[in-house]
Amino acid sequence: MTTLGAMLGWLTAGREASGTLGRNNGGDCRLRPLPKEEIYVFVKAIDNTKLVRVVDRKDWAASAGVAGSVVVASLLLIALLLPGGVSLLASHRMEQLKKERAVLVNELRDLRSKEAALKSPEKLEEYAGDRFVTPAATAVVFAPPAQGTVASLGKR
């Protein structure tokens, strides 16, 4: 424990050591000693180990009621916002799939045009050179399709 005067001396010791008080030519401007500086600061340790806690049932029930109502209110809010969020996510996914379908359809059209250009008679003659001979119309035989492969209107 220490006195207030000792604490004041400790606080001002840094200024005296650095010489700031010696530079002042206006005289001694220090404060007078504190009144009642002999007062000691004493802190008493309090022992609460022998105290018994009083349980208040009404307070506990009120706290449980507030906690339960907060949980119910939050679940109700989630239940109200969930369908809108799901429909928003579903519409976003549908738009993504529509864009992807448009890209794939354009790619399919491009590939079909490239295939048609590669299978054109001019390209086939260019690839085959002298070995390609166009068959005569009488030399082409069209085979009838198999029974299970052709759709018939009578079997509905």
Side-chain angles (χ1 to χ4, degrees):
M1 287 192 280
T2 183
T3 63
L4 291 176
M7 287 187 352
L8 182 63
W10 176 76
L11 289 173
T12 59
R15 281 189 265 163
E16 290 174 1
S18 65
T20 57
L21 293 176
R23 281 188 257 153
N24 192 359
N25 295 333
D28 191 16
C29 298
R30 286 185 289 176
L31 294 174
R32 59 181 170 78
L34 292 174
K36 300 193 181 198
E37 65 181 13
E38 68 276 355
I39 297 175
Y40 290 101
V41 180
F42 180 74
V43 178
K44 179 181 177 183
I46 299 174
D47 184 23
N48 289 334
T49 58
K50 296 178 182 176
L51 291 178
V52 178
R53 185 175 69 94
V54 178
V55 178
D56 188 7
R57 299 273 182 206
K58 292 179 184 177
D59 185 40
W60 184 87
S63 298
V66 168
S69 63
V70 166
V71 169
V72 168
S74 62
L75 288 176
L76 184 63
L77 183 66
I78 290 171
L80 287 174
L81 295 177
L82 189 64
V86 169
S87 66
L88 183 67
L89 289 175
S91 64
H92 181 67
R93 180 69 177 148
M94 286 174 53
E95 289 300 319
Q96 282 181 337
L97 290 174
K98 285 179 184 178
K99 289 178 184 176
E100 184 180 345
R101 183 182 182 277
V103 168
L104 290 176
V105 165
N106 287 337
E107 186 178 338
L108 179 65
R109 288 177 183 158
D110 187 37
L111 290 175
R112 283 184 179 167
S113 67
K114 287 180 182 178
E115 179 187 15
L118 291 175
K119 287 185 175 181
S120 68
E122 295 85 20
K123 284 289 186 181
L124 289 177
E125 287 180 10
E126 182 183 331
Y127 296 145
D130 296 333
R131 295 182 296 166
F132 179 71
V133 178
T134 306
T138 57
V140 178
V141 177
F142 295 100
Q147 286 288 7
T149 59
V150 177
S152 74
L153 297 175
K155 291 187 178 181
R156 282 192 172 176

